[in-house]
Amino acid sequence: MTKKTPEKYLMLAGASAIALSLFAPVATAQDDGGGDVEVRRTLGTVLVTTQKTEESIQDVPIAVSAFDEEALEKLQLTGGPDLVRSIPNVSFTKGNFGGSYNFKIRGIGVDLVAQSGDAGVGVHQNDVPLTANRLFEAEFFDVERVETLRGPQGTLYGRNATGGVINVITAKPVFEEFQADLNLTYGNYNTFKAKGMLNVPLGDRAALRVAGSLLQRDGYVDNIVTGNDIDDRDLYGIRATLAVEPTDRLRGWISYDYFEEDDSRLRSGKQLCDKDPFMTSFGGVPIGGADQIYTSLGCQEAPLSQSTDRVNSAGTLGGGLGIAAGLLNGDAFTTPLIQDLRTIESAFDPAYKADQELFTWKAEFDLTDSLLLTYLGSYNETSAVSVEDYNKIAPNVAFNDLSAVPPGISPAADLYNALFPGGVVSDPQLGASNIFRTFDISGGGSEQTTHELRLQSDYDGRFNFNLGAISVDFEAIDPADPTAGYVVLSNTLTALTQFNNATGGGVFGGPVPIDTAGPSVGPVSNFGGFGGNYFRSLSPYTLESFAIFGEGYFDITQDLQLTVGLRYTDDKKEQANIPTALFVPNPAAQADLSPQPIPGNAPDDAGDGTYNVAFEETTGRIGLDWQPALDFTEDTLLYAFYSRGYKGGGINPPQPAGANNFPQTFDPEFINSYELGTKNTLAGGALQLNATGFYYDYEGYQITQIVNRSSANFNIDAQIKGFELETVWNPASTFVINANLGLLDTEIKDTFAIDVLDRTNSRADLVTLKNASSYSNCVVSAQGYATVLGAIQGGILAPGSTAGLCVGAFAGQEAAFGVPTVSYTDSNGQTRTIGGLTPFDGEAKDLEGNAIPGAPETTFSFGAEYTFEGLFNGAWAARIRGDYYYQGDSFSRVWNTGSDELDSWNNLNLALQFYNDENGLEFEIFGKNVTDEEVVTGRYLTDDSSGLFSNIFLTEPRLYGVRVRKSW
């Protein structure tokens, strides 16, 4: 097979480059000057040979961390989330919705929630951009290397990214050589892993490689309601790759990947809350009866370490409507919360299913000895669905039982008993129960096709180039799929629907359809996909993207090179307008879930039933790299680059029909990046020392906030600056040390925003109340609220009249009540003055100088390994290794309050390995997170109607076990 090796400027294009085998010293022979040959140890590299000359990662003028399969094993980097422990200025946390996660590089990731949103960090497999992927679920197996490029990308890769790129390069078939490998692991939590590979030559110009991976283990979390261990794993993946070389100039391969998971994985962790109690008085005026219900917001602002309560259910939509249906009189959660973060209370065990099929094909043709033409194509199909308890806490207050009321005494009680005998609600989806139940479903599928064409030169002269073009067609969310989108189901919502229908539609203006027929989705039954008795949000979405990209390279001198890269991107996005629906009566119900045109709007603004946005941008990079000849280093690279990164804008999730709670679209984001770096090889090749400094001007940073049960994404500005240091040292032939340090400073610029946990901005002259109809929150003047309470106490207003404050029932009546005006700062930073009885969203806080979420100021890792050679008659060796990682404090939201703070954390891994290279045998005893740190990596704050509780996401507990490997 003809092999070609890349020049440094082509290393990360196409097949991507090289990977540093951090811990594989190699022997080199040097003449000591006296005629004797001295054997020395130098740090090894793994090269991908797809162009003309071999180059080390030390010669690539890009901040990149790369790990071959041996390094992944040694560092115990089993999957995507583990990469944070070995790369500076990287963080990772799971997201709140099915399949979502946030992998951040230098503070740039995905802080928006929208089907049409793009990730800041691109995930690629074999250079194919995967809009939907299984990075956080699947484990690495049979890979050649995993690369992580830091900084904006677009002129070398088919899909642009503002933060960086993760590229997983799988191992390809080897011609004329039989190979096999089997890797078995057993550990605590009854963990069993199996990974294997078989490489079979098919003549001298073809080969087949088949690999697979299996993971099964018990759960990390106790569900004390069912008595089961949950958050277990049962997943596997297989891959088959066929490579051929018909001629010396033509070569290619085709690969098939399949992944499947079916277990009780938790989409989100334990719910935390500092309970917001009912107020009994305000301003010296007593509060009682129904007026008390509107004073609790569910949870209040507090650090996560102090959020040790259950939510006040009366401050939630489900709990509040349970009160409206007569099922509850107040809070359903009144007992203390179990403090163990890995113990939950769920009526059913969660269900998680995911699968992916990925076809990839690649062909290379040498047009001439100096021109390489490459075609890369792919088809990717994914689906995932997660069903779990919305609150993960069990009510201790049962629904009201009115069976003791004699028939005929109370018509309302007779109707209640007929609908809910003994206080039991029969919910078609959640079953029969006399306690408050709320579950949610997050899921959907997608299809993607890509075609990419590249032309690369390798001339002997001063100028070379790398040109490419790519088309991406992506489609997500099929409305006909009942598991697609996001759904919240509650038996209190069903009960109120049943009450409405029993009274002829008197509550909602007509009968509301109740879903009674459909498949089972995990523990949820009879789920057809549309029913007025639950909330569902659907965002059917398509993307058509085309880009032309490339770089030119000019050798100014033998050691100094100029790089100029450009990219033109054309993104077209379309999203169907399917309004969110809850309690919508027939015939207005969208039984067919078809797109709904908005009368009077332009076609692209859903006038034809779909939102359409388009973005055309030209971006690029320019810089110099210099390799001076210095006396004190074997090899030194200095580089300076400016680049402009782009990530497309998009379309916000749907709103209720007729609502205009926020703009329906959001703008692209851009990064102007300025970067200086150096890479050095010293001490005769035994030491590598790399450093990078960078400054980002971050324009249009996409950030999300929940508004009225939907995600609203907005654009703000920020700046980021940081420093990275990476080093590997081989001081002796059997001893290797590695370390990296990341320092990050992020600042939000010129932004005002309302904190839903502190809508009053801690002002004593304002008060936050619950809206009795939408269960969103509002703010009115404290004097206005006290005046209405006083009027209720004086008999001027009926009890429960405070319910009218958030819907503006008293707006304009300030003079009649003697209530003065009130001033506040809006989200544009402007001062506004309104009547003291007029509701508003709240006072915006100045976020200037706040840190962006998920951007720890410090990351640090340190590892060391020592090898004992010549054991057991010289055939065996032993290696002992330890790795330590530290991540500093960070924040979960842009407001940087006490509740937003995520504590610093650390991790320690240890391993002892015995190996016999001649016989291909390895035995290992390992431990991950050996000090059993319980780490909260992220937090998701729910909206007003959910009671403002927080879902948290945890790292894995202490894991240990044994591993055996045999290679042939």
Short mmCIF file of all heavy atoms in Angstrom, two decimals, residues 465-498:
data_model
loop_
_atom_site.label_atom_id
_atom_site.label_comp_id
_atom_site.label_asym_id
_atom_site.label_seq_id
_atom_site.Cartn_x
_atom_site.Cartn_y
_atom_site.Cartn_z
N PHE A 465 -0.77 24.35 -0.94
CA PHE A 465 -2.15 24.70 -0.57
C PHE A 465 -2.92 23.46 -0.14
O PHE A 465 -2.54 22.32 -0.42
CB PHE A 465 -2.87 25.39 -1.73
CG PHE A 465 -2.99 24.53 -2.97
CD1 PHE A 465 -4.04 23.62 -3.11
CD2 PHE A 465 -2.05 24.63 -3.99
CE1 PHE A 465 -4.14 22.83 -4.25
CE2 PHE A 465 -2.15 23.84 -5.13
CZ PHE A 465 -3.20 22.94 -5.26
N ASN A 466 -4.04 23.72 0.50
CA ASN A 466 -5.00 22.69 0.91
C ASN A 466 -6.38 23.29 0.71
O ASN A 466 -6.74 24.26 1.38
CB ASN A 466 -4.78 22.31 2.38
CG ASN A 466 -5.91 21.47 2.92
OD1 ASN A 466 -6.47 20.64 2.22
ND2 ASN A 466 -6.26 21.70 4.19
N LEU A 467 -7.16 22.77 -0.23
CA LEU A 467 -8.47 23.31 -0.57
C LEU A 467 -9.54 22.25 -0.32
O LEU A 467 -9.30 21.05 -0.51
CB LEU A 467 -8.52 23.75 -2.03
CG LEU A 467 -7.53 24.82 -2.47
CD1 LEU A 467 -7.67 25.08 -3.96
CD2 LEU A 467 -7.75 26.12 -1.68
N GLY A 468 -10.73 22.68 0.07
CA GLY A 468 -11.80 21.74 0.30
C GLY A 468 -13.17 22.36 0.16
O GLY A 468 -13.33 23.59 0.19
N ALA A 469 -14.16 21.49 0.00
CA ALA A 469 -15.56 21.91 -0.04
C ALA A 469 -16.39 20.82 0.62
O ALA A 469 -16.07 19.63 0.50
CB ALA A 469 -16.03 22.15 -1.48
N ILE A 470 -17.44 21.22 1.31
CA ILE A 470 -18.28 20.25 2.02
C ILE A 470 -19.74 20.67 1.96
O ILE A 470 -20.06 21.86 1.98
CB ILE A 470 -17.84 20.11 3.50
CG1 ILE A 470 -18.61 18.96 4.18
CG2 ILE A 470 -18.00 21.41 4.26
CD1 ILE A 470 -18.12 18.63 5.58
N SER A 471 -20.61 19.68 1.87
CA SER A 471 -22.04 19.91 2.03
C SER A 471 -22.53 19.03 3.16
O SER A 471 -22.12 17.87 3.29
CB SER A 471 -22.81 19.58 0.74
OG SER A 471 -22.76 18.20 0.46
N VAL A 472 -23.39 19.60 4.01
CA VAL A 472 -23.97 18.89 5.15
C VAL A 472 -25.48 19.05 5.08
O VAL A 472 -25.99 20.17 5.02
CB VAL A 472 -23.44 19.45 6.49
CG1 VAL A 472 -24.10 18.72 7.66
CG2 VAL A 472 -21.93 19.33 6.57
N ASP A 473 -26.19 17.93 5.09
CA ASP A 473 -27.65 17.93 5.15
C ASP A 473 -28.06 17.19 6.42
O ASP A 473 -27.77 15.99 6.57
CB ASP A 473 -28.26 17.26 3.93
CG ASP A 473 -28.02 18.06 2.66
OD1 ASP A 473 -28.55 19.18 2.58
OD2 ASP A 473 -27.30 17.56 1.77
N PHE A 474 -28.73 17.90 7.31
CA PHE A 474 -29.08 17.35 8.62
C PHE A 474 -30.57 17.57 8.86
O PHE A 474 -31.11 18.65 8.58
CB PHE A 474 -28.26 18.05 9.71
CG PHE A 474 -28.59 17.60 11.10
CD1 PHE A 474 -28.09 16.41 11.60
CD2 PHE A 474 -29.38 18.37 11.93
CE1 PHE A 474 -28.38 15.99 12.90
CE2 PHE A 474 -29.68 17.97 13.22
CZ PHE A 474 -29.18 16.78 13.71
N GLU A 475 -31.23 16.54 9.39
CA GLU A 475 -32.66 16.63 9.68
C GLU A 475 -32.92 15.97 11.03
O GLU A 475 -32.46 14.85 11.29
CB GLU A 475 -33.48 15.94 8.60
CG GLU A 475 -34.98 16.04 8.79
CD GLU A 475 -35.75 15.46 7.62
OE1 GLU A 475 -35.12 15.13 6.59
OE2 GLU A 475 -36.99 15.33 7.74
N ALA A 476 -33.65 16.67 11.90
CA ALA A 476 -33.91 16.16 13.24
C ALA A 476 -35.37 16.35 13.62
O ALA A 476 -36.01 17.32 13.18
CB ALA A 476 -33.02 16.87 14.27
N ILE A 477 -35.86 15.46 14.43
CA ILE A 477 -37.20 15.48 15.04
C ILE A 477 -38.29 15.21 14.00
O ILE A 477 -38.66 16.07 13.19
CB ILE A 477 -37.49 16.81 15.77
CG1 ILE A 477 -36.45 17.04 16.87
CG2 ILE A 477 -38.88 16.81 16.34
CD1 ILE A 477 -36.47 16.04 17.98
N ASP A 478 -38.81 14.00 14.05
CA ASP A 478 -39.94 13.60 13.23
C ASP A 478 -41.20 13.69 14.09
O ASP A 478 -41.34 12.95 15.07
CB ASP A 478 -39.74 12.18 12.72
CG ASP A 478 -40.91 11.67 11.89
OD1 ASP A 478 -41.85 12.46 11.63
OD2 ASP A 478 -40.90 10.49 11.52
N PRO A 479 -42.15 14.59 13.77
CA PRO A 479 -43.36 14.72 14.61
C PRO A 479 -44.15 13.42 14.74
O PRO A 479 -44.88 13.25 15.72
CB PRO A 479 -44.17 15.80 13.89
CG PRO A 479 -43.18 16.56 13.08
CD PRO A 479 -42.15 15.56 12.67
N ALA A 480 -44.01 12.53 13.77
CA ALA A 480 -44.73 11.27 13.86
C ALA A 480 -44.14 10.33 14.91
O ALA A 480 -44.78 9.35 15.30
CB ALA A 480 -44.73 10.58 12.50
N ASP A 481 -42.93 10.62 15.36
CA ASP A 481 -42.30 9.82 16.40
C ASP A 481 -42.81 10.30 17.75
O ASP A 481 -42.52 11.42 18.16
CB ASP A 481 -40.78 9.98 16.31
CG ASP A 481 -40.04 9.21 17.40
OD1 ASP A 481 -40.69 8.48 18.17
OD2 ASP A 481 -38.81 9.36 17.46
N PRO A 482 -43.54 9.48 18.50
CA PRO A 482 -44.10 9.95 19.77
C PRO A 482 -43.04 10.27 20.82
O PRO A 482 -43.32 10.99 21.77
CB PRO A 482 -44.98 8.78 20.22
CG PRO A 482 -44.47 7.60 19.50
CD PRO A 482 -43.94 8.10 18.19
N THR A 483 -41.82 9.75 20.66
CA THR A 483 -40.78 10.03 21.64
C THR A 483 -39.99 11.29 21.32
O THR A 483 -39.11 11.68 22.09
CB THR A 483 -39.80 8.85 21.74
OG1 THR A 483 -39.07 8.73 20.51
CG2 THR A 483 -40.54 7.55 22.01
N ALA A 484 -40.27 11.92 20.18
CA ALA A 484 -39.49 13.08 19.76
C ALA A 484 -39.90 14.32 20.53
O ALA A 484 -41.07 14.52 20.86
CB ALA A 484 -39.66 13.31 18.26
N GLY A 485 -38.92 15.17 20.79
CA GLY A 485 -39.18 16.43 21.47
C GLY A 485 -39.03 16.31 22.97
O GLY A 485 -38.32 15.44 23.49
N TYR A 486 -39.70 17.20 23.67
CA TYR A 486 -39.63 17.21 25.13
C TYR A 486 -41.05 17.25 25.69
O TYR A 486 -41.87 18.08 25.28
CB TYR A 486 -38.83 18.41 25.64
CG TYR A 486 -38.69 18.41 27.14
CD1 TYR A 486 -37.95 17.42 27.78
CD2 TYR A 486 -39.29 19.38 27.92
CE1 TYR A 486 -37.82 17.39 29.16
CE2 TYR A 486 -39.17 19.37 29.30
CZ TYR A 486 -38.44 18.38 29.92
OH TYR A 486 -38.32 18.34 31.28
N VAL A 487 -41.33 16.35 26.63
CA VAL A 487 -42.68 16.17 27.16
C VAL A 487 -42.62 16.16 28.68
O VAL A 487 -41.72 15.55 29.27
CB VAL A 487 -43.30 14.84 26.68
CG1 VAL A 487 -44.73 14.68 27.20
CG2 VAL A 487 -43.27 14.76 25.16
N VAL A 488 -43.57 16.84 29.32
CA VAL A 488 -43.74 16.77 30.77
C VAL A 488 -45.16 16.26 31.04
O VAL A 488 -46.14 16.85 30.57
CB VAL A 488 -43.54 18.13 31.46
CG1 VAL A 488 -43.76 18.00 32.97
CG2 VAL A 488 -42.14 18.67 31.17
N LEU A 489 -45.24 15.15 31.77
CA LEU A 489 -46.53 14.54 32.10
C LEU A 489 -46.71 14.57 33.62
O LEU A 489 -45.76 14.33 34.37
CB LEU A 489 -46.59 13.08 31.63
CG LEU A 489 -46.17 12.77 30.19
CD1 LEU A 489 -44.74 12.23 30.17
CD2 LEU A 489 -47.12 11.77 29.55
N SER A 490 -47.93 14.86 34.06
CA SER A 490 -48.23 14.85 35.48
C SER A 490 -49.66 14.40 35.68
O SER A 490 -50.56 14.79 34.92
CB SER A 490 -48.04 16.24 36.10
OG SER A 490 -48.43 16.24 37.45
N ASN A 491 -49.89 13.59 36.73
CA ASN A 491 -51.27 13.14 36.97
C ASN A 491 -52.16 14.28 37.46
O ASN A 491 -53.38 14.20 37.34
CB ASN A 491 -51.30 11.95 37.93
CG ASN A 491 -50.63 12.22 39.27
OD1 ASN A 491 -50.10 13.30 39.51
ND2 ASN A 491 -50.66 11.22 40.14
N THR A 492 -51.57 15.36 37.97
CA THR A 492 -52.42 16.51 38.33
C THR A 492 -52.90 17.24 37.08
O THR A 492 -54.03 17.76 37.06
CB THR A 492 -51.65 17.48 39.24
OG1 THR A 492 -50.49 17.96 38.57
CG2 THR A 492 -51.26 16.80 40.55
N LEU A 493 -52.07 17.29 36.03
CA LEU A 493 -52.51 17.90 34.78
C LEU A 493 -53.63 17.06 34.16
O LEU A 493 -54.62 17.59 33.65
CB LEU A 493 -51.34 18.02 33.81
CG LEU A 493 -50.09 18.76 34.28
CD1 LEU A 493 -49.08 18.86 33.15
CD2 LEU A 493 -50.43 20.13 34.83
N THR A 494 -53.47 15.75 34.19
CA THR A 494 -54.52 14.86 33.68
C THR A 494 -55.79 15.01 34.49
O THR A 494 -56.89 15.03 33.94
CB THR A 494 -54.02 13.41 33.70
OG1 THR A 494 -52.90 13.30 32.81
CG2 THR A 494 -55.11 12.45 33.24
N ALA A 495 -55.65 15.11 35.82
CA ALA A 495 -56.83 15.24 36.68
C ALA A 495 -57.61 16.51 36.37
O ALA A 495 -58.85 16.49 36.29
CB ALA A 495 -56.41 15.24 38.14
N LEU A 496 -56.91 17.61 36.15
CA LEU A 496 -57.60 18.86 35.83
C LEU A 496 -58.26 18.76 34.46
O LEU A 496 -59.36 19.31 34.25
CB LEU A 496 -56.61 20.02 35.86
CG LEU A 496 -57.23 21.43 35.86
CD1 LEU A 496 -58.17 21.62 37.05
CD2 LEU A 496 -56.15 22.51 35.87
N THR A 497 -57.61 18.05 33.52
CA THR A 497 -58.22 17.83 32.21
C THR A 497 -59.49 16.98 32.35
O THR A 497 -60.52 17.27 31.71
CB THR A 497 -57.22 17.13 31.27
OG1 THR A 497 -56.00 17.87 31.23
CG2 THR A 497 -57.78 17.04 29.86
N GLN A 498 -59.42 15.94 33.16
CA GLN A 498 -60.60 15.10 33.39
C GLN A 498 -61.72 15.90 34.03
O GLN A 498 -62.90 15.74 33.68
CB GLN A 498 -60.20 13.91 34.27
CG GLN A 498 -59.28 12.92 33.57
CD GLN A 498 -58.67 11.91 34.53
OE1 GLN A 498 -58.62 12.11 35.74
NE2 GLN A 498 -58.18 10.80 33.98
#
